[in-house]
Amino acid sequence: MVFSFAFISNYIYLCRTEHVITLTFSIMTKHPLWSDEYWLLLMQIYLRKPVGVKPLYSRPMVELSLELHIPPQYLYEQMFNLRRIDTPRMERLWEKYGNNPKRLAKGVRMLRQMKGFSNAREFYEGVEIQESFEKDFRPIESCSGIEPVMLIMVLDLYFRLTPITMVSETPEIIELARLMKVKPQTIVEIMDAFQVCDPYLKREPLPDNRFMEPCRRIWQRYGNDSPENLSAMAAQLTAYFR
């Protein structure tokens, strides 16, 4: 059996066949993989200093999303629900765990052991997972140490530079390289690949550039989209690298 976990922002539906179950959801509706036990996992992140709702793409939020196969957008919405404390369930949760970090840590540890989080291979043995948002945060096989979200960050900067400034000495490139902990020359190589993807430049293909295919996929997703949407996405992703 194949489980496919995908995020579509406006609709939820369950498409079922003999061999395939596809789950998609809206953040305004309960996600099919969400369990009320996961409030403990969110609370632990919420209570990390500085206490409060964490950025959408902060690393702890992304790591929990990958762990649960639930997109960060949904967990972010749930974290806002967590802080409201406007239901009897939330009141009991905060009374029991809010001022007792040891009890919370014990509850989280027991939950992970029970759900098999620490033994992911055994937990998903025999199940093929077709990932969606997860792929953006997984290393690209042909590009050691590079994830698709990093290419999104570079594409945003690409649209704010001119080809002549796409060099390793440019301050913006140095700053982005420092943020993502890569060499400035790596950013330049990625921008070289985006120049080939850019229909306005009409550059020749670069067969030796390892970023060509991954960059082409990112360009297809964002290259013709609104620059404002890409910029907003890159701004939110900044928290992931800090």
Side-chain angles (χ1 to χ4, degrees), residues 55-59 62 137 149-150 152-153 156 160 175-176 178-181 230-242:
L56 172 60
Y57 289 111
S58 64
R59 191 165 289 269
V62 170
F137 299 93
V149 288
M150 301 169 77
I152 294 172
M153 297 288 288
D156 176 60
R160 290 186 280 113
E175 182 180 356
L176 181 58
R178 186 180 296 116
L179 175 67
M180 299 197 304
K181 297 179 176 59
L230 175 61
S231 180
M233 179 68 172
Q236 291 177 320
L237 284 172
T238 299
Y240 176 70
F241 299 100
R242 289 178 174 166

Coordinates of all heavy atoms in Angstrom, one line a residue, residues 55-59 62 137 149-150 152-153 156 160 175-176 178-181 230-242:
P55 N 8.5 31.0 14.6 CA 8.4 31.3 13.2 C 8.0 30.0 12.4 O 8.3 28.9 12.8 CB 9.8 31.7 12.7 CG 10.4 32.3 14.0 CD 9.9 31.4 15.1
L56 N 7.2 30.2 11.3 CA 6.6 29.1 10.5 C 7.7 28.1 10.1 O 7.5 26.9 10.3 CB 6.0 29.7 9.3 CG 5.5 28.7 8.2 CD1 4.5 27.8 8.8 CD2 4.9 29.5 7.0
Y57 N 8.8 28.6 9.6 CA 9.9 27.7 9.2 C 11.1 27.7 10.1 O 12.2 27.4 9.6 CB 10.3 28.1 7.8 CG 9.3 27.8 6.7 CD1 8.6 28.8 6.1 CD2 8.9 26.5 6.4 CE1 7.6 28.6 5.1 CE2 8.0 26.2 5.4 CZ 7.3 27.3 4.8 OH 6.3 27.0 3.9
S58 N 10.9 27.9 11.4 CA 12.0 27.7 12.3 C 12.4 26.3 12.3 O 11.6 25.4 12.0 CB 11.6 28.1 13.7 OG 10.5 27.3 14.2
R59 N 13.6 26.0 12.5 CA 14.1 24.6 12.4 C 13.4 23.6 13.3 O 13.0 22.5 12.8 CB 15.6 24.6 12.7 CG 16.3 23.2 12.3 CD 17.8 23.3 12.2 NE 18.2 24.1 11.1 CZ 18.5 23.6 9.9 NH1 18.4 22.3 9.7 NH2 19.0 24.4 9.0
V62 N 10.1 22.8 11.5 CA 10.3 22.0 10.3 C 10.7 20.6 10.7 O 10.2 19.6 10.1 CB 11.4 22.6 9.4 CG1 11.8 21.7 8.3 CG2 11.0 24.0 8.8
F137 N 13.1 19.9 2.1 CA 14.0 20.0 3.2 C 14.9 18.8 3.3 O 15.6 18.6 4.2 CB 13.2 20.1 4.5 CG 12.4 21.4 4.6 CD1 11.0 21.3 4.2 CD2 12.9 22.6 5.0 CE1 10.3 22.5 4.3 CE2 12.2 23.7 5.1 CZ 10.8 23.7 4.7
V149 N 15.1 24.1 -0.5 CA 14.8 25.4 0.1 C 15.9 26.4 0.0 O 15.7 27.6 -0.1 CB 14.4 25.2 1.6 CG1 13.1 24.6 1.8 CG2 15.5 24.5 2.4
M150 N 17.2 25.9 -0.1 CA 18.3 26.7 -0.4 C 18.3 27.3 -1.8 O 18.6 28.5 -2.0 CB 19.6 26.0 -0.1 CG 19.7 25.4 1.3 SD 21.0 24.2 1.5 CE 22.4 25.4 1.7
I152 N 15.6 28.0 -3.4 CA 14.5 29.0 -3.3 C 15.1 30.3 -2.8 O 14.8 31.4 -3.3 CB 13.3 28.5 -2.4 CG1 12.7 27.3 -3.0 CG2 12.3 29.6 -2.2 CD1 11.6 26.6 -2.1
M153 N 15.9 30.2 -1.8 CA 16.6 31.4 -1.2 C 17.4 32.1 -2.3 O 17.4 33.3 -2.4 CB 17.4 31.1 0.0 CG 16.6 30.5 1.1 SD 15.6 31.7 2.0 CE 16.9 32.7 2.8
D156 N 15.4 33.9 -5.0 CA 14.9 35.2 -4.6 C 15.9 36.2 -4.7 O 15.7 37.3 -5.2 CB 14.4 35.1 -3.1 CG 14.0 36.4 -2.6 OD1 13.1 37.0 -3.1 OD2 14.6 36.9 -1.6
R160 N 16.9 39.9 -7.6 CA 17.3 41.2 -7.1 C 18.7 41.6 -7.5 O 19.2 42.7 -7.1 CB 17.1 41.2 -5.6 CG 15.7 41.1 -5.1 CD 15.5 41.3 -3.6 NE 15.8 40.1 -2.9 CZ 16.8 39.9 -2.1 NH1 17.6 40.9 -1.9 NH2 17.0 38.8 -1.4
E175 N 26.6 37.5 2.1 CA 25.6 37.4 3.3 C 24.7 36.2 3.2 O 24.5 35.5 4.2 CB 24.8 38.7 3.3 CG 23.8 38.7 4.4 CD 22.9 40.0 4.4 OE1 23.2 40.9 3.5 OE2 22.0 40.1 5.3
L176 N 24.2 35.8 2.0 CA 23.4 34.7 1.9 C 24.2 33.4 2.1 O 23.7 32.4 2.8 CB 22.7 34.6 0.5 CG 21.7 33.4 0.3 CD1 20.6 33.4 1.3 CD2 21.2 33.5 -1.1
R178 N 26.8 33.1 4.0 CA 27.0 33.0 5.4 C 25.8 32.4 6.2 O 25.9 31.6 7.1 CB 27.4 34.3 6.0 CG 27.8 34.3 7.5 CD 28.2 35.7 8.0 NE 29.4 36.2 7.3 CZ 29.4 37.3 6.5 NH1 28.3 37.9 6.3 NH2 30.5 37.6 5.9
L179 N 24.6 32.9 5.8 CA 23.3 32.5 6.4 C 23.1 31.0 6.2 O 22.8 30.2 7.1 CB 22.2 33.2 5.8 CG 20.8 32.8 6.3 CD1 20.6 33.1 7.8 CD2 19.7 33.5 5.4
M180 N 23.4 30.5 5.0 CA 23.1 29.1 4.6 C 24.3 28.2 4.9 O 24.3 27.0 4.7 CB 22.7 29.0 3.2 CG 21.4 29.7 2.9 SD 20.6 29.2 1.3 CE 21.9 29.5 0.1
K181 N 25.4 28.8 5.4 CA 26.6 28.1 5.7 C 27.2 27.3 4.5 O 27.5 26.1 4.6 CB 26.4 27.1 6.9 CG 26.0 27.8 8.2 CD 25.7 26.8 9.3 CE 25.5 27.6 10.6 NZ 24.3 28.5 10.5
L230 N 7.4 34.8 -4.0 CA 8.7 34.2 -3.8 C 9.5 35.0 -2.7 O 10.1 34.3 -1.8 CB 9.5 34.3 -5.1 CG 11.0 33.8 -5.0 CD1 11.1 32.4 -4.6 CD2 11.7 34.1 -6.4
S231 N 9.4 36.3 -2.7 CA 10.1 37.1 -1.6 C 9.5 36.7 -0.3 O 10.3 36.6 0.7 CB 9.9 38.5 -2.0 OG 10.6 39.3 -1.0
A232 N 8.2 36.6 -0.2 CA 7.6 36.3 1.1 C 8.1 34.9 1.6 O 8.3 34.7 2.8 CB 6.1 36.3 1.0
M233 N 8.1 34.0 0.7 CA 8.6 32.6 1.0 C 10.0 32.6 1.5 O 10.3 32.0 2.5 CB 8.4 31.7 -0.2 CG 8.9 30.3 0.0 SD 7.7 29.4 1.1 CE 8.4 27.7 1.0
A234 N 10.9 33.3 0.8 CA 12.3 33.4 1.2 C 12.4 34.1 2.6 O 13.3 33.6 3.4 CB 13.1 34.2 0.1
A235 N 11.6 35.1 2.8 CA 11.7 35.8 4.1 C 11.3 34.8 5.2 O 12.0 34.8 6.3 CB 10.8 37.0 4.1
Q236 N 10.3 34.0 5.0 CA 9.9 33.1 6.0 C 10.9 32.0 6.2 O 11.2 31.5 7.4 CB 8.6 32.4 5.7 CG 7.4 33.4 5.7 CD 6.1 32.7 5.3 OE1 6.1 32.0 4.3 NE2 5.0 33.0 6.0
L237 N 11.6 31.5 5.2 CA 12.6 30.5 5.2 C 13.8 30.9 5.9 O 14.6 30.1 6.4 CB 12.9 30.0 3.8 CG 11.9 29.1 3.1 CD1 12.3 28.8 1.7 CD2 11.7 27.8 3.9
T238 N 14.1 32.2 6.1 CA 15.3 32.7 6.7 C 15.4 32.1 8.1 O 16.5 31.8 8.6 CB 15.2 34.2 6.8 OG1 15.2 34.8 5.5 CG2 16.5 34.8 7.5
A239 N 14.3 31.9 8.8 CA 14.3 31.4 10.2 C 14.8 30.0 10.2 O 15.4 29.5 11.2 CB 12.9 31.4 10.8
Y240 N 14.7 29.2 9.1 CA 15.1 27.9 9.1 C 16.7 27.8 9.2 O 17.2 26.8 9.7 CB 14.7 27.2 7.8 CG 15.1 25.8 7.5 CD1 14.7 24.7 8.3 CD2 16.0 25.5 6.5 CE1 15.1 23.4 8.1 CE2 16.5 24.2 6.3 CZ 16.0 23.2 7.0 OH 16.5 21.9 6.8
F241 N 17.3 28.8 8.7 CA 18.8 28.7 8.6 C 19.5 29.4 9.8 O 20.7 29.4 9.9 CB 19.3 29.4 7.3 CG 18.8 28.7 6.1 CD1 17.7 29.2 5.4 CD2 19.4 27.5 5.6 CE1 17.2 28.6 4.2 CE2 18.9 26.9 4.5 CZ 17.8 27.4 3.8
R242 N 18.7 30.0 10.7 CA 19.3 30.7 11.8 C 19.5 29.8 13.0 O 18.8 28.8 13.1 CB 18.4 31.9 12.2 CG 18.5 33.0 11.2 CD 17.7 34.2 11.5 NE 17.9 35.3 10.6 CZ 17.1 36.4 10.5 NH1 16.0 36.4 11.2 NH2 17.4 37.3 9.6

